[in-house]
Amino acid sequence: MLFDAGTWSLITDVLAAVFILAGAFLTFAAGIGALRFPSLLARMHAVTKPQVLGLILLLIGLSLRVRSWSAVAMLALVVAFQLLTAPVGAHLVSRAGFRTGKVDESELQPNQMEPDDDEHTA
């Protein structure tokens, strides 16, 4: 065997600490971005992107630390639901903000892929 049980436990504990610290940093950065960014869409970007990755890193670190198959299966379900619901929730909040006039349309860039009207009339 390459590693004995004590060495393997030490390696997984160090990896768990690294994952937990990285996840905590990303989640903290998401909170700072939500407070500091000026517009709704910038805040939505700051909240969804690093927060989801931070939560996934935290749960990976937790699963490395717990080492129970039932707990790891439950944490995998939490990751799956987070990956399914966070983008949908962010889309709905930003769409509601756009429809209620909370988004400044002058800050949005035009769609470069949309065809011009005069090209279709010719």
Side-chain angles (χ1 to χ4, degrees):
M1 185 175 208
L2 188 60
F3 297 115
D4 62 346
T7 306
W8 184 251
S9 177
L10 178 66
I11 290 171
T12 55
D13 285 346
V14 169
L15 278 174
V18 168
F19 278 116
I20 289 172
L21 286 174
F25 173 74
L26 284 173
T27 305
F28 180 70
I32 295 295
L35 291 174
R36 299 290 307 256
F37 284 165
S39 67
L40 173 74
L41 295 181
R43 287 180 180 156
M44 291 303 301
H45 179 77
V47 170
T48 54
K49 303 285 183 183
Q51 185 270 333
V52 171
L53 181 59
L55 179 69
I56 290 171
L57 289 176
L58 282 168
L59 293 178
I60 289 172
L62 186 61
S63 66
L64 285 172
R65 184 68 183 110
V66 172
R67 297 183 195 108
S68 166
W69 284 109
S70 61
V72 170
M74 185 66 68
L75 294 174
L77 282 174
V78 171
V79 168
F81 286 131
Q82 182 70 24
L83 287 174
L84 290 172
T85 58
V88 174
H91 173 76
L92 290 175
V93 169
S94 61
R95 185 175 174 174
F98 186 78
R99 287 187 173 186
T100 58
K102 304 290 186 213
V103 175
D104 185 15
E105 292 187 43
S106 66
E107 292 180 0
L108 300 178
Q109 295 189 7
N111 186 359
Q112 299 289 331
M113 300 300 290
E114 187 174 310
D116 294 332
D117 289 334
D118 55 330
E119 290 179 6
H120 292 292
T121 57

